[in-house]
Structure formats: structure tokens, C-alpha cells
């Protein structure tokens, strides 16, 4: 029969294991010009070429690759959210799941401070993830198109809670990437 000390040790080990798993499952998002963005099996070079081709007015002429991989809370770009946003198309990668195994590529088009269109490309790890990502991608435009980017946050869409959380992190990065200085 186990004694009280053994029971306390078992509870402590279980709590420590849950704490580790909880920290791993935090969704994060990075700009798609980040060399570590995406999990699509594409080469870094092809992702960078695609990002540069579609970024138009939203990218600077600086060829520096931003590396947010060493930041455990990688939900930020190097820019601050000013509340004023440049028109353009912004690409962000959202990562989520118990160990960050699922990703979505979010392509967000902004016009006059509003979301004009969203395209989602999912990179699911399992068939369940694929089902949730597909349902989310099919529903998202009906929820966010025409809405102001400033302060936009969604609730769970199409039953996809983790995908929705990753999308919200992507919105944070989009606001930072699209920000222009306030006219004072």
C-alpha cells in the first residue's frame, strides 16, 4: 500500500508534467519573412521568394531576416502597433498544438484600416487538425471581412479553438507589421 509521501510525490510529478505541456501548447505567430515561419515542407528560399513577391508596399527594402525562434512568446514583430495601418497584404505564420506541431499561414489583406480578405493555408499534423483547419479557413472570411483591424479578436470559429487562438496571435503580428507612425 502506498504511503502518504509516495502520493505527494506522484501528485507533484503530475503537476510538473502538466505545467511543461501547458507551456508548450501556447500559440505563437511570426511574420512570414521570418526564416523559421511555416511548416509546409517548402525550402526557406521558396518561402522567402513568395513572401517578397506578395508583400508589395508592406515590406521594406531591408533584406534582414527576422529571427523570432529564440523568443518563447514569439507573437511580435520588431514593429509597434500604432493603431494606423498601411494598406497591403501581410503574411503571418501561426503555430499551435500541444508541442507546436500544427501551423497555419495567414495571408491578410488590409485596405483603409479594415480587413479586406483572409486566406488561410493549413499545415495540419493529424486528420483531426486538418478537419478543424479546413472548417476554420472556410468560415473566417464571413467573420472578419470588412471589420477594422484595430482591436480585432475572434472567438472560437467552426469548433477550431486552437486554430482560432493562433489566428488571434497572427492578427497581433499583422497589426505590428502593418503599423505606420501616427500623424501628430
Amino acid at each position: 500500500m502506498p504511503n502518504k509521501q509516495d502520493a505527494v510525490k506522484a501528485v507533484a510529478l503530475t503537476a510538473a508534467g502538466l505545467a511543461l505541456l501547458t507551456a508548450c501548447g501556447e500559440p505563437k505567430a511570426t511574420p512570414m519573412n521570418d526564416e523559421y515561419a511555416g511548416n509546409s515542407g517548402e525550402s526557406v528560399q521558396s518561402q522567402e521568394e513568395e513572401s517578397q513577391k506578395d508583400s508589395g508596399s508592406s515590406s521594406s527594402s531591408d533584406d534582414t531576416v527576422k529571427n523570432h525562434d529564440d523568443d518563447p512568446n514569439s507573437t511580435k514583430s520588431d514593429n509597434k502597433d500604432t493603431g494606423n495601418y498601411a494598406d497591403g497584404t501581410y503574411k503571418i505564420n501561426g503555430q499551435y498544438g500541444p508541442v507546436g506541431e500544427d501551423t497555419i499561414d495567414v495571408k491578410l489583406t488590409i485596405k483603409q484600416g479594415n480587413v479586406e480578405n483572409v486566406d488561410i493555408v493549413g499545415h495540419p499534423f493529424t486528420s483531426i487538425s486538418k478537419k478543424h483547419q479546413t472548417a476554420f479557413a472556410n468560415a473566417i472570411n464571413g467573420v472578419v471581412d470588412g471589420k477594422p483591424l484595430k482591436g480585432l479578436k475572434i472567438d472560437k470559429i467552426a469548433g477550431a479553438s486552437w486554430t482560432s487562438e493562433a489566428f488571434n496571435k497572427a492578427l497581433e503580428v499583422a497589426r505590428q507589421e502593418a503599423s505606420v507612425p501616427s500623424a501628430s
Side-chain angles (χ1 to χ4, degrees):
M1 176 177 247
N3 63 29
K4 195 172 188 176
Q5 277 185 322
D6 289 339
V8 169
K9 288 178 186 174
V11 168
L13 282 173
T14 302
L18 286 173
L20 284 172
L21 283 176
T22 301
C24 292
E26 282 295 311
K28 61 182 183 177
T30 54
M32 289 291 288
N33 60 348
D34 185 316
E35 68 178 298
Y36 294 101
N39 190 16
S40 64
E42 291 181 285
S43 70
V44 171
Q45 181 180 1
S46 68
Q47 285 186 357
E48 287 175 358
E49 288 169 357
E50 183 67 23
S51 179
Q52 290 170 359
K53 179 173 64 174
D54 287 345
S55 61
S57 66
S58 67
S59 72
S60 68
S61 59
D62 183 6
D63 288 337
T64 314
V65 175
K66 297 176 186 127
N67 180 354
H68 300 277
D69 193 48
D70 57 352
D71 180 1
N73 298 315
S74 184
T75 57
K76 299 188 173 162
S77 76
D78 293 334
N79 302 334
K80 297 277 186 208
D81 181 357
T82 63
N84 293 320
Y85 308 111
D87 289 354
T89 299
Y90 302 89
K91 290 183 170 188
I92 303 101
N93 174 264
Q95 183 179 356
Y96 62 98
V99 291
E101 70 277 12
D102 291 310
T103 65
I104 55 170
D105 294 340
V106 178
K107 184 175 160 186
L108 190 68
T109 303
I110 306 301
K111 188 168 186 179
Q112 297 178 347
N114 295 323
V115 175
E116 186 171 82
N117 188 53
V118 175
D119 288 315
I120 303 288
V121 175
H123 304 286
F125 187 70
T126 66
S127 59
I128 293 171
S129 296
K130 182 177 183 174
K131 177 183 149 217
H132 286 296
Q133 287 180 353
T134 300
F136 181 88
N138 290 336
I140 192 63
N141 281 296
V143 175
V144 300
D145 284 5
K147 300 269 174 69
L149 179 60
K150 186 174 184 173
L152 182 60
K153 184 175 181 181
I154 62 165
D155 292 324
K156 180 168 68 171
I157 305 244
S161 56
W162 283 358
T163 308
S164 298
E165 289 175 23
F167 182 78
N168 282 331
K169 294 293 184 182
L171 286 173
E172 289 177 31
V173 173
R175 282 189 283 272
Q176 293 163 347
E177 289 291 298
S179 283
V180 294
S182 301
S184 298

